[in-house]
Amino acid sequence: MPDVDPHVIVLFGATGDLARRKLWPGLLHLAEAGLLPDDFRIIGSGRHAPEGGLAQDWPDALRERVTFVVSSADDGSALADAVQAARSALGDASRTLFYMSVPPSAMEPMVQMLGDAGLANGRVRIVVEKPFGRDLATAQALNATLHEHFDEDQVFRIDHFLGKEAAQDILALRFANGLFEPVWDRHHIAGVQIDIPETLGLEGRASFYEETGAFRDMVVTHLSQILGFVAMEAPASLDAQHLRDAKAAAFADLRPLTPQDTVYGQFAGYRDQEGVDPESATETFVALRAFVDNDRWRDVPFLLRTGKALAEGRRVVTVTFREPEADIFDGEHRPNEIVFELTEDPKLAVEVRVKEPGPTSAVRRAALTLDVERALNEHGLEAYERLLHDVLLGDHLLFTRADEVERLWECAAQLLEHPPEPLAYDQGSWGPDAAITLAEPIGWRLPERES
Ligand code: BG6
């Protein structure tokens, strides 16, 4: 690993759900793997001190570098003192990293507070959690506030799906091989689906979810970013500017989303959950059809689906190919598919038709499967770990840029203004029936197509 400057890491939302599940374990794992700087301090911050301290399960030698300081949008003075003290302890070459794991409505005031408290000066970087704003206007306002205090190269808008090994495998498959890219277009591909059903419900996040909903939580963020990786042209190189230029160009060609091509759902019982408005119209499910209006993709449907309390928890990207024109074989009529499983342990399958063994000429579907970690005998980093590490190195490759995020909100404007009424669906189902018909004629791959 290249030499990393000593870091003061300030974690806002230090006692929140994301910090507990991903950020603290991620930091510990990086420390244990020798991927944190030799010298660092972590200052957890939030409005209320945690009961029983932070990083309780960390080894003593690491935990003694962790402190907690109360801060709020109105008062960053104690935090400023603590950051100053930590910087002095680490010396002039140190950097400060602010990780903003705060709800969307708190983001702008907190960024403003950093500026007012003088914390944005010096060798500073800031990580901003998604969703980035609520719509185009609020995203622009947040970008403007960020840019008042930080240069764009200090800002890291995180979308942890891009940190998943398997998401980067989409790029590797496309651009490191001669086999796939020549057929990666509308002449050969009939449709793409990005399907992220979750069995999870609200998991105690009712207030976040009520203000966010499935579209803002997942679609304009994770699913759209994956769409960017699938749809983009080959970047000139794998540096952050080239990659993000290429992704932004794909988003520029994204056709604005429409209520007609979108199904919203809400799982039965959602309104009875603690913290949820009994008349809530928040969608817990979205399925939609998107199009990228350029020569590569014209008229190819990109089907996106995600939701809570569904039948299975999966993250599947499926690229469905057109069938050969001459159909000379008997047997199964299934198109070829490339299937990416965006699990931490990435898996890839290419589904083909092969001759059924025996005295027949019929064909049947079978899969060429690849378990990447097993094949290469290596383990990757968890998405947040990878991205935290990238921030320490100052690498923007897997972070989203202001223009990309604003363009995605722009494409969402019509839908946000006229959202479809959420249709009720049973917990443990695949969402409203209307979402099934939306995907015709290709149809959702999940539940797994029978072979
Ligand atoms: C988060 C969303 O960004 O992503 C959650 O806020 C969702 O609602 C989660 O459950 C899914 O991430 P992963 O990595 O577990 O698939």
Side-chain angles (χ1 to χ4, degrees):
M1 162 175 173
D3 258 355
V4 181
D5 299 321
H7 264 76
V8 180
I9 300 173
V10 182
L11 179 52
F12 290 101
T15 56
D17 175 66
L18 178 67
R20 195 183 61 251
R21 281 189 308 113
K22 297 288 184 184
L23 303 176
W24 289 110
L27 286 164
L28 176 60
H29 187 231
L30 288 175
E32 287 171 343
L35 295 174
L36 282 191
D38 291 339
D39 213 357
F40 66 88
R41 301 284 184 279
I42 302 179
I43 303 174
S45 194
R47 277 180 303 176
H48 308 288
E51 286 164 24
L54 291 171
Q56 291 296 316
D57 54 340
W58 286 29
D60 292 347
L62 292 173
R63 198 180 50 222
E64 62 197 23
R65 303 179 189 204
V66 177
T67 50
F68 183 87
V69 178
V70 172
S71 69
S72 70
D74 307 321
D75 186 6
S77 52
L79 182 67
D81 293 344
V83 170
Q84 204 39 56
R87 281 178 182 164
S88 308
L90 296 188
D92 289 344
S94 70
R95 285 185 189 275
T96 306
L97 165 62
F98 295 106
Y99 195 114
M100 315 300 285
S101 176
V102 302
S105 53
M107 195 64 81
E108 218 184 314
M110 290 298 285
V111 173
Q112 195 63 51
M113 178 278 279
L114 292 179
D116 294 344
L119 283 165
N121 303 329
R123 305 185 78 217
V124 168
R125 293 179 178 134
I126 181 167
V127 179
V128 183
E129 259 299 336
K130 53 133 284 256
F132 192 90
R134 291 189 54 73
D135 54 20
L136 178 58
T138 50
Q140 284 171 329
L142 179 53
N143 274 326
T145 304
L146 280 165
H147 291 150
E148 247 176 65
H149 304 290
F150 301 92
D151 293 334
E152 177 68 19
D153 68 5
Q154 295 175 286
V155 180
F156 292 75
R157 292 173 200 76
I158 196 164
D159 186 305
H160 79 279
F161 267 56
L162 297 187
K164 289 183 188 283
E165 285 285 342
Q168 298 156 59
D169 266 321
I170 297 174
L171 296 183
L173 184 96
R174 290 189 57 191
F175 303 129
N177 296 288
L179 187 56
F180 305 101
E181 198 53 18
V183 293
W184 209 259
D185 62 23
R186 69 192 159 95
H187 303 294
H188 302 89
I189 291 176
V192 174
Q193 49 188 273
I194 300 168
D195 198 7
I196 324 271
E198 296 186 286
T199 52
L200 298 177
L202 291 190
E203 315 295 314
R205 298 160 79 215
S207 71
F208 166 82
Y209 207 77
E210 274 283 275
E211 97 170 67
T212 309
F215 181 81
R216 292 182 171 90
D217 186 31
M218 297 291 287
V219 179
V220 75
T221 51
H222 305 321
L223 280 75
S224 299
Q225 287 296 326
I226 296 297
L227 181 151
F229 272 12
V230 175
M232 68 198 247
E233 297 299 314
S237 79
L238 260 201
D239 76 29
Q241 165 145 7
H242 285 145
L243 183 95
R244 298 192 299 174
D245 283 351
K247 184 147 50 78
F251 293 150
D253 294 338
L254 186 64
R255 191 187 301 171
L257 304 173
T258 65
Q260 295 74 28
D261 275 331
T262 305
V263 174
Y264 275 5
Q266 187 186 74
F267 65 78
Y270 174 73
R271 294 175 184 184
D272 306 330
Q273 308 239 335
E274 202 186 319
V276 172
D277 178 348
E279 291 176 21
S280 173
T282 300
E283 79 289 358
T284 62
F285 172 99
V286 181
L288 62 79
R289 198 162 40 199
F291 294 92
V292 179
D293 289 328
N294 56 25
D295 276 356
R296 187 188 282 271
W297 293 115
R298 188 158 295 112
D299 296 332
V300 175
F302 283 76
L303 298 167
L304 274 49
R305 175 171 74 170
T306 186
K308 300 285 186 197
L310 294 176
E312 268 187 64
R314 294 282 290 276
R315 310 174 193 91
V316 182
V317 178
T318 308
V319 179
T320 305
F321 286 80
R322 298 192 188 283
E323 297 195 57
E325 277 179 25
D327 188 13
I328 57 176
F329 286 95
D330 289 335
E332 258 188 308
H333 286 262
R334 294 281 192 186
N336 293 152
E337 287 182 326
I338 298 183
V339 186
F340 298 88
E341 298 269 356
L342 304 191
T343 38
E344 259 168 50
D345 171 8
K347 308 236 171 20
L348 185 67
V350 179
E351 300 215 335
V352 294
R353 293 195 294 168
V354 291
K355 193 192 107 33
E356 205 174 278
T360 158
S361 308
V363 289
R364 244 166 65 189
R365 217 162 60 115
L368 306 164
T369 54
L370 178 63
D371 177 331
V372 178
E373 292 200 344
R374 256 178 88 179
L376 303 188
N377 200 18
E378 298 269 6
H379 287 298
L381 290 174
E382 193 275 334
Y384 274 99
E385 294 170 13
R386 163 71 200 253
L387 295 174
L388 278 164
H389 185 242
D390 285 356
V391 179
L392 295 172
L393 299 178
D395 185 352
H396 281 88
L397 184 74
L398 300 172
F399 292 83
T400 64
R401 211 167 52 188
D403 57 329
E404 289 178 53
V405 173
E406 290 184 12
R407 171 62 187 160
L408 289 171
W409 283 121
E410 188 176 69
C411 288
Q414 231 188 97
L415 190 59
L416 295 178
E417 231 169 87
H418 306 287
E421 189 72 26
L423 306 172
Y425 65 93
D426 289 337
Q427 296 190 31
S429 74
W430 285 96
D433 289 345
I436 308 291
T437 29
L438 182 82
E440 283 169 0
I442 295 175
W444 298 104
R445 183 186 161 78
L446 296 177
E448 222 82 58
R449 287 186 185 141
E450 287 162 26
S451 48

